[in-house]
Amino acid sequence: MDQQEEIQALEAQKEIERILDAIKTEIPIYLYAQPGQNDVFTDVAKQAIRFFRQLTDKIVLREFDLNHESAKKLNVEYSPTLVFDPDRYNIRWLGAPLGEEGRIFLEALVLIGLQKSNLGEQSLQVIKRIDTPRNIKVFISASCPYCPQQALNALKAAVEKPELISLEIIDIQANPQLADQYSAHSVPQTFSNEILIAQGAQTEELFMLSLDRMEQQTVFIPENDAEEVETDLVIIGGGPAGLTAGIYAERSGLKTVVVEKGVLGGQVATTPIVENYPGLKQVGGKTLVDIMVTHALEYVQIFPGEEVIGITPGSPIIVQTTRRKFLTKTILIATGATHRNLGIPGEKRLSGHGVSYCSTCDGPLFKGRKVIVVGGGNSAATEALHLHHIGIDVTLIHRRDKLRAQDFLVTNLVQNNIPILFDSEVKEIRGKHRVEEVLIYNNKTKNLSTLSVSAVFIAIGYDPAVAIATQIGIELTEEGFIKHDNYRTNVPGIYTAGDVSGGYKQIVTAAGHGAEAAITIFEDLINPYWT
Ligand SMILES: Cc1cc2nc3c(=O)[nH]c(=O)nc-3n(C[C@H](O)[C@H](O)[C@H](O)COP(=O)(O)OP(=O)(O)OC[C@H]3O[C@@H](n4cnc5c(N)ncnc54)[C@H](O)[C@@H]3O)c2cc1C
């Protein structure tokens, strides 16, 4: 650990201590472990609890093996299992809090310790309607940046209604047999009473609605009128472009908000390693996001887990999100890009069951197994290298005779002996309940062949996320990006920056364009070019 990392770790520890300080009651945790079964995870669980016990004296740990009568009483079957405050709640963790999961564990301590769900008003209204038992299972992994959000939703539900809602948070690395049993081959995946109710992370309200209706919900219409917020600038998208624009705009004196529908950091949150961001020679994507978000929060208000679903141009411009309404003078569309689909048979059906678009999230489940990465650009090469380095037998499949990825990535693939099938197109993904094989067409020899694989990672590029822009007649370039002149779109008061506006798709360029766009907006608000 270098000096800067040491300082950051100390600051993080102090912050955790401050958060835990609010807890005034004891948090009993029962750790069930059977020697010889998943010992590595048991050790990690003990280390994690030891770490948190140094920061708060409220955790009361009791350790048992699986033969103990309390294990039978509580139906604990897997080693290790952590059971939280069993007299009050029915919340357990199968596995140990590793990596991203540390955040979930901290949130669990806080919610259970405070005996408060911290649910928003809209979610409370939905959960009030649930009047029959729900047993939630959330499958997560240590390297999945989306998992904490979904696990937190489930935790809040279980803390809010302990008499009806029970929760199992299941780490797929510690419990691959359970992941197989539920075909949970992408994370997060959420089941309630054995029914799949969500794939991926949801906003709090959508989670509660899915739990209420027992099927995945994609739209949440609030029962009350959304809250109204007046601003100078609404930034849509919390990726590098949006976050940087937020910092610049607030520092220029504009009342600004950032609205993010998914995970803050956008594509960077799912990037395993970034090696070309100035000042940071090599940094995990999620770490870079945390640094950016912490910085942005010093200035700008961020609304995470909230999707912009409509814009009405005018004065003010109205921005409708899944939770509230913003009345604003300007908008910056920084919605980035979303992954492209192959559009072949089996892809949609087996998505989440071996078909994946995020190697950092789902890779760990396929350790020691054979998988393919489809694509030939930087993302495909990066994903293949990442999977190889975590112990997966990976083959890269590309439809052309040469990769588009940068030279150093290609060299890296060769040095690591990662097989590449050139001139090859995946035509079908097959499997009854999970990916079992792919049908490959060689476009030179015209031969069809099959390859047995456990997973297909698709990395064939990204399409600009322009849906919200096209709804209101914003013009696009021929390539489908938002057309702009110095970040101004054809609709007065509406601007764009980052990947959605074309150009080089890099973190540093997105951040740079975000900064420039914010300055343009500031200048235009002083001297509106449209009047
Ligand atoms: C696998 C991978 C590896 C990469 N590696 C590197 C690298 O090593 N170095 C590098 O410089 N670049 C890398 N990139 C590219 C880089 O991540 C992008 O260029 C950059 O993230 C673009 O930033 P952005 O803010 O424009 O968009 P994004 O990062 O895409 O963020 C846009 C955000 O907008 C949100 N959003 C979309 N629609 C809405 C809506 N309606 N309401 C609210 N929010 C919305 C999205 O959820 C998203 O979080 C990589 C990309 C990928 C996918």
Side-chain angles (χ1 to χ4, degrees), residues 392-455:
I392 293 169
D393 176 1
V394 59
T395 300
L396 190 60
I397 298 203
H398 184 42
R399 63 192 166 130
R400 302 193 198 286
D401 58 3
K402 198 167 174 286
L403 297 180
R404 277 179 290 108
Q406 287 171 329
D407 285 348
F408 83 96
L409 287 171
V410 177
T411 311
N412 227 329
L413 290 170
V414 173
Q415 280 170 350
N416 283 285
N417 295 321
I418 295 176
I420 307 174
L421 299 184
F422 288 106
D423 306 312
S424 299
E425 297 171 29
V426 179
K427 289 290 182 196
E428 188 179 346
I429 303 170
R430 294 173 174 168
K432 199 164 177 208
H433 301 296
R434 67 189 68 151
V435 171
E436 287 164 17
E437 66 172 23
V438 284
L439 181 67
I440 300 170
Y441 172 68
N442 185 307
N443 55 33
K444 281 265 162 67
T445 64
K446 314 285 179 216
N447 278 341
L448 276 172
S449 60
T450 56
L451 186 66
S452 295
V453 291
S454 302

Side-chain angles (χ1 to χ4, degrees), residues 317-357:
I317 304 169
I318 298 169
V319 179
Q320 179 69 56
T321 75
T322 39
R323 289 197 193 160
R324 75 202 86 226
K325 202 182 259 183
F326 293 94
L327 310 181
T328 184
K329 292 178 185 155
T330 56
I331 294 178
L332 177 70
I333 302 180
T335 45
T338 47
H339 63 74
R340 228 173 250 166
N341 298 321
L342 277 172
I344 55 171
E347 181 183 13
K348 205 166 166 198
R349 181 174 61 83
L350 293 169
S351 175
H353 304 288
V355 173
S356 171
Y357 303 86

Side-chain angles (χ1 to χ4, degrees), residues 91 209 327 511:
I91 298 174
L209 207 59
L327 310 181

